[in-house]
Amino acid sequence: MLNFQIQSDSDVPASKQLFAQLQFAIASGQYPPAHRLPSTRQLAMITGLHRNTISKVYQQLEESGLVESVAGSGIYVKTHERENTLNSDSPVIASVNVIKESIDRALELGCTLAQFKDIVLEEIDWRISCCDRVIVTVPQRDISAGEIMQQELRDSLSIDIELIELEELPQILEKINFGTLVTNRYFIQEVLAIVPPNSFRVIPIDMYDYNKELEIIKTLPSQACLGIVSLSEGTLSIASSIVNSQRGDDLLVLTSAVSDRERLKAVIRAAHTLIAGFASYDLVKSEIIAMREDLIRIPDVIRTDSYIAEKSINLLKRELGLSNK
C-alpha cells in the first residue's frame, strides 16, 4: 500500500503531491471501487497537512469522477454502474449468493420470475455480443498510454485489440452498435459521458501498482539521479509526482518519453538508476549500447513488469470468456 508522504521542501505544492498519490492509489487498485478513503482527520495526522487542504483535494478527486461523498459516512472510491464484474474477484459460491439476493430484490420490486429470466438472458446475450469487438480508448493527450494498453492486451489476451482516440469515439458509435471499451480508470468518467447506456460495455482497468519499483527507489542513496522513461507522457508526470512525494529534493528525478531521443540521451548520461516501462525497455537498452563509448558510467536499468495490473488482466479474460484459453 502506498505510504502517503508530503515533502514540505519540494517545489511541488503539497496539495498536488497528495492528489497525485491518492489518484495513483485509486488507478492502481490499491484503493478499489467502494473503498472508503481515510477521513480528513486521519490523513491530516499522516501527512501533517491542514484538514481544509485535504478537503480541497478530496473535492478535486470528486470533480474528477474518481470518488464520491456519502453524507454522514465519508469519501468512497466511485463505483460506476457499468463496471459490474470487474469490481469483484469473488469465488463462484459468492456469486451465486449475489444472484439469489438479486432475484429476491427483483421480486420485492414487483418483477416476476419470468421477467427476471428474460432480463438476465438479454443481459448475458448483450455481453457475449460485446466480446466480438474490443477497443482501447484514451484521450488524444495520452494516446501513448493507449498504445501501451493495446500492446499488453494483445500479448495477454491473444485477440485483436483496436485503439481509438476518445475524441473519435462519437463517430465510431454512430457506425457500430455494441462492443467492449477498455480504458484506464483515470479516464472512465470521460468515456461514460460519451457512451450511451446499453450500447458498449465499458470496462476500466487498474494500473500496475509499482510497489517493487517504489521499494527500490526508497533504497537509492541521497542525491542520486533517477531516470524514468516511458511511452506515456501521463505516466511520466504521475511517476515524477509520486517519487518527489516520497523522496523530495533528496533525489534528482529526470524523465523522458522514449520518442524524444535527445532528451532520452540526456537522461541516460545523468542517471545512476533508470526505470523503463516494459514497452520502452528494449529501446532504452539499445540506446545505452549505442552510447556506451561516450558514457562515464552505465546506469542500472530496471524494467517494470507491466502497465496493467495482473488482476485486471485476469478479470478481463473472464469478462471476454478467455479464462480457459
Side-chain angles (χ1 to χ4, degrees):
M1 185 61 66
L2 192 64
N3 180 25
F4 295 109
Q5 293 184 20
I6 303 299
Q7 299 292 336
S8 58
D9 56 353
S10 173
D11 293 335
V12 180
S15 59
K16 187 174 181 180
Q17 292 182 48
L18 180 60
F19 181 87
Q21 293 180 67
L22 286 167
Q23 187 184 38
F24 177 71
I26 293 169
S28 63
Q30 297 182 65
Y31 280 176
H35 180 87
R36 185 178 184 274
L37 271 61
S39 67
T40 55
R41 182 185 297 276
Q42 291 172 321
L43 213 46
M45 293 177 64
I46 295 172
T47 64
L49 297 179
H50 195 281
R51 291 176 65 182
N52 288 344
T53 300
I54 297 169
S55 294
K56 290 179 181 178
V57 171
Y58 277 173
Q59 184 177 352
Q60 289 178 322
L61 288 170
E62 189 166 10
E63 291 171 353
S64 300
L66 294 175
V67 304
E68 58 185 345
S69 176
V70 178
S73 181
I75 305 294
Y76 292 82
V77 177
K78 194 167 185 178
T79 302
H80 298 279
E81 292 181 2
R82 283 180 266 179
E83 291 189 39
N84 295 322
T85 57
L86 283 188
N87 288 337
S88 175
D89 194 17
S90 304
V92 174
I93 186 64
S95 299
V96 172
N97 290 335
V98 170
I99 293 172
K100 289 179 178 179
E101 292 173 1
S102 297
I103 294 174
D104 291 339
R105 178 59 178 157
L107 294 176
E108 291 174 1
L109 294 173
C111 181
T112 67
L113 286 175
Q115 290 171 328
F116 186 85
K117 178 182 177 181
D118 290 340
I119 292 171
V120 171
L121 291 177
E122 183 179 346
E123 176 73 13
I124 291 173
D125 288 341
W126 171 66
R127 293 195 182 195
I128 291 174
S129 298
C130 287
C131 295
D132 293 337
R133 186 168 190 174
V134 181
I135 298 172
V136 168
T137 186
V138 297
Q140 195 280 331
R141 64 180 183 272
D142 202 9
I143 193 64
S144 295
E147 293 171 353
I148 298 173
M149 291 165 60
Q150 181 188 34
Q151 177 181 331
E152 186 167 349
L153 290 177
R154 278 177 175 170
D155 293 342
S156 300
L157 305 179
S158 299
I159 61 174
D160 184 46
I161 306 289
E162 299 176 67
L163 173 60
I164 295 176
E165 293 178 6
L166 182 61
E167 291 79 1
E168 297 178 358
L169 206 53
Q171 290 77 22
I172 299 298
L173 296 179
E174 291 178 358
K175 300 176 183 178
I176 51 180
N177 297 321
F178 50 79
T180 298
L181 287 171
V182 180
T183 190
N184 189 311
R185 191 173 294 278
Y186 285 136
F187 311 127
I188 182 64
Q189 195 75 358
E190 296 176 67
V191 175
L192 290 177
I194 294 175
V195 181
N198 303 319
S199 56
F200 272 65
R201 181 95 171 98
V202 181
I203 299 177
I205 59 150
D206 293 324
M207 291 174 58
Y208 168 62
D209 60 22
Y210 297 101
N211 280 335
K212 180 186 73 176
E213 290 75 17
L214 286 171
E215 288 301 317
I216 293 173
I217 290 170
K218 290 178 182 178
T219 66
L220 294 178
S222 178
Q223 304 307 311
C225 178
L226 171 68
I228 305 176
V229 180
S230 175
L231 291 176
S232 167
E233 293 281 0
T235 298
L236 291 175
S237 176
I238 295 166
S240 180
S241 294
I242 295 298
V243 175
N244 280 322
S245 297
Q246 300 296 304
R247 293 291 301 265
D249 294 336
D250 182 51
L251 199 66
L252 175 61
V253 181
L254 300 177
T255 64
S256 174
V258 74
S259 57
D260 188 341
R261 294 290 296 279
E262 292 306 312
R263 175 68 179 175
L264 176 59
K265 289 179 181 179
V267 171
I268 289 174
R269 290 191 187 96
H272 299 84
T273 300
L274 200 153
I275 296 178
F278 80 97
S280 55
Y281 177 81
D282 290 341
L283 292 173
V284 170
K285 292 291 288 186
S286 296
E287 195 65 54
I288 290 175
I289 292 173
M291 298 172 59
R292 184 180 295 274
E293 298 298 326
D294 299 324
L295 293 177
I296 297 175
R297 61 174 176 276
I298 306 297
D300 294 328
V301 184
I302 300 167
R303 179 184 183 274
T304 61
D305 290 335
S306 60
Y307 179 82
I308 304 174
E310 183 179 0
K311 182 179 179 180
S312 283
I313 292 287
N314 291 336
L315 291 173
L316 194 55
K317 286 181 179 179
R318 296 179 198 173
E319 179 75 21
L320 298 175
L322 303 173
S323 54
N324 294 323
K325 294 185 179 183

